[in-house]
Amino acid sequence: MANIPDHAKIVHNGILFDVFAFEQPLFDGTTKTFEMVRRNPAVEIIAVVDGKIITLFQKQPGRETGYYSLPGGQIDPGETPIVAAKRELREETGYEASELTELFHFNGTSKLEFHEHIFKTTNLTKKTEQSLDGGEIIEVQYSTFDEFLQLARDPKAAIAYELKMTMYEALLDDRVYHEFKSKIFSS
Amino acid sequence: MANIPDHAKIVHNGILFDVFAFEQPLFDGTTKTFEMVRRNPAVEIIAVVDGKIITLFQKQPGRETGYYSLPGGQIDPGETPIVAAKRELREETGYEASELTELFHFNGTSKLEFHEHIFKTTNLTKKTEQSLDGGEIIEVQYSTFDEFLQLARDPKAAIAYELKMTMYEALLDDRVYHEFKSKIFSS
């Protein structure tokens, strides 16, 4: 939804967020300074093992309570989304993915440009142990498709907002349910 | 969900966004610089007239297509949320609200502190015409409760994310439906 205009000027170059400002023409012919934020892009992976979806229960520094998520994280500078997805999956779960398919590419809300790439894979081999940063605590769990959809309803589940909406739609609409399920589990 | 720690330092003081940085202790005893964004707080109003909810269809500069929303907008510096809600309702719809009740107070996502105050009112008198900025185009519409709930399903509808989740829950769960409906329509 949000893409920062090419002519915008960067006013803050940060670690996780960059801020941009630009003159936006209004409908009455005047202009106004608008501000938008770009957040570093991220990936999430819907990874299927033995007919179940890998979900995580995480405890992270700075967050008071544990929360559910999919494997995923920030794309590092220079990484492609697919390389980041393979790396995050390996670090957080120990699984190595030989093939990944991009299911969705979201790009944020009206004032926030945030590219989130959602991949799926059914080709996993367990090769390594988790390798976590700074004492992260991540528990790997295995959910049925129906259990996975219920995660959308947990306000604390850290799942891309638009992906949650697709999960809600699958709960409301039988056609979406079957299409989404078949996209995830087809090899 | 997100409240920026008191000891965080402001690294960008902007128009719509402020950026903060702070040293976050990790679980292994080391620290890491974390960055969070604060967006100016906003209000949205669920306003009932003759048994229907006021919804808006807006065209705004910088957004390619029209979109649905509730009346609402940014809280101006020095304003309380309730004063901002009354002002936005008056500017965008011409209705004057004599009494407003706060239904929800959301506070953003894990890296974004964004306070959104959701009010409801059933006490409206039409007093003035719309007074819009810079040639904004805002069409006032009247929706049944069921039509309003369907707006949650429109990815382009600009409604607070957590409010959309409550609307989805009302579509899925009869108990939530009736509780939410009664909260909105009770005077």
Side-chain angles (χ1 to χ4, degrees):
Chain A
M1 182 170 180
N3 278 301
I4 292 168
D6 290 338
H7 64 279
K9 281 186 194 155
I10 192 162
V11 293
H12 172 72
N13 189 338
I15 301 166
L16 182 61
F17 294 100
D18 294 332
V19 185
F20 294 82
F22 57 96
E23 291 305 303
Q24 172 68 47
L26 304 184
F27 294 144
D28 65 358
T30 63
T31 66
K32 193 174 174 182
T33 305
F34 273 32
E35 205 174 52
M36 285 179 68
V37 166
R38 181 177 290 152
R39 179 173 172 166
N40 289 358
V43 294
E44 291 180 28
I45 308 103
I46 302 173
V48 175
V49 187
D50 295 334
K52 293 204 168 178
I53 294 168
I54 295 179
T55 52
L56 307 179
F57 185 74
Q58 305 198 37
K59 289 183 183 167
Q60 292 278 357
R63 294 176 77 140
E64 281 164 33
T65 52
Y67 61 94
Y68 292 96
S69 77
L70 291 168
Q74 272 192 67
I75 302 176
D76 285 340
E79 261 184 344
T80 61
I82 203 163
V83 167
K86 286 187 181 190
R87 176 183 53 71
E88 286 288 353
L89 193 62
R90 190 173 53 239
E91 288 174 1
E92 295 188 329
T93 72
Y95 283 98
E96 199 76 40
S98 58
E99 207 174 319
L100 288 147
T101 307
E102 187 169 275
L103 281 188
F104 303 101
H105 173 189
F106 305 120
N107 66 358
T109 56
S110 68
K111 296 293 184 183
L112 171 69
E113 183 177 316
F114 180 29
H115 292 272
E116 293 172 290
H117 302 265
I118 316 297
F119 290 94
K120 72 113 187 189
T121 177
T122 55
N123 293 286
L124 293 179
T125 43
K126 178 94 180 176
K127 285 205 170 152
T128 57
E129 291 306 301
Q130 290 174 309
S131 56
L132 303 176
D133 294 334
E136 287 179 313
I137 297 166
I138 298 183
E139 187 184 315
V140 176
Q141 304 182 334
Y142 302 88
S143 302
T144 63
F145 182 63
D146 291 335
E147 288 165 349
F148 165 67
L149 292 185
Q150 291 298 324
L151 283 187
R153 307 179 68 178
D154 180 346
K156 274 187 264 178
I159 295 175
Y161 158 56
E162 285 101 333
L163 181 56
K164 276 196 180 184
M165 289 187 63
T166 301
M167 292 158 75
Y168 265 116
E169 285 298 317
L171 289 168
L172 283 170
D173 182 333
D174 220 42
R175 191 186 53 78
V176 176
Y177 178 97
H178 288 288
E179 275 182 17
F180 190 31
K181 190 171 183 176
S182 126
K183 270 189 191 168
I184 290 173
F185 291 96
S186 66
S187 53
Chain B
M1 183 168 180
N3 279 302
I4 292 168
D6 290 338
H7 64 279
K9 281 187 194 156
I10 191 161
V11 292
H12 172 72
N13 189 338
I15 299 166
L16 182 61
F17 294 100
D18 294 331
V19 184
F20 294 82
F22 56 96
E23 291 305 303
Q24 173 67 48
L26 305 184
F27 294 143
D28 64 359
T30 63
T31 66
K32 193 175 174 182
T33 305
F34 272 33
E35 206 174 51
M36 284 180 67
V37 167
R38 180 178 289 153
R39 180 172 173 168
N40 289 357
V43 294
E44 292 181 27
I45 308 103
I46 302 173
V48 176
V49 187
D50 295 335
K52 293 203 170 179
I53 295 168
I54 296 179
T55 51
L56 306 179
F57 185 74
Q58 305 200 38
K59 288 181 183 167
Q60 291 280 357
R63 293 177 77 141
E64 281 165 32
T65 53
Y67 61 95
Y68 291 96
S69 78
L70 291 169
Q74 271 191 68
I75 302 177
D76 285 340
E79 262 184 342
T80 60
I82 203 164
V83 167
K86 286 187 181 191
R87 176 183 53 72
E88 287 288 353
L89 193 62
R90 190 173 54 240
E91 289 174 2
E92 295 189 328
T93 72
Y95 283 99
E96 199 76 41
S98 58
E99 208 174 319
L100 288 148
T101 307
E102 188 170 274
L103 283 188
F104 303 101
H105 173 190
F106 304 121
N107 66 358
T109 55
S110 68
K111 296 293 183 183
L112 171 69
E113 182 176 317
F114 180 29
H115 292 271
E116 293 173 289
H117 302 265
I118 316 297
F119 290 94
K120 71 114 187 188
T121 176
T122 55
N123 294 284
L124 295 178
T125 43
K126 177 95 179 173
K127 286 208 169 151
T128 58
E129 291 305 302
Q130 290 174 308
S131 56
L132 303 176
D133 294 332
E136 286 179 314
I137 297 165
I138 297 182
E139 188 183 313
V140 176
Q141 304 182 335
Y142 302 88
S143 302
T144 64
F145 182 64
D146 291 335
E147 288 165 349
F148 165 68
L149 291 185
Q150 290 299 324
L151 282 187
R153 308 179 67 178
D154 181 345
K156 276 187 264 179
I159 294 175
Y161 158 54
E162 284 100 335
L163 181 56
K164 276 196 182 184
M165 287 188 63
T166 301
M167 293 159 74
Y168 265 116
E169 285 298 317
L171 289 168
L172 283 170
D173 182 335
D174 219 42
R175 191 187 54 77
V176 176
Y177 178 97
H178 289 288
E179 274 183 16
F180 190 31
K181 189 170 184 176
S182 129
K183 270 190 190 169
I184 289 173
F185 291 96
S186 65
S187 54

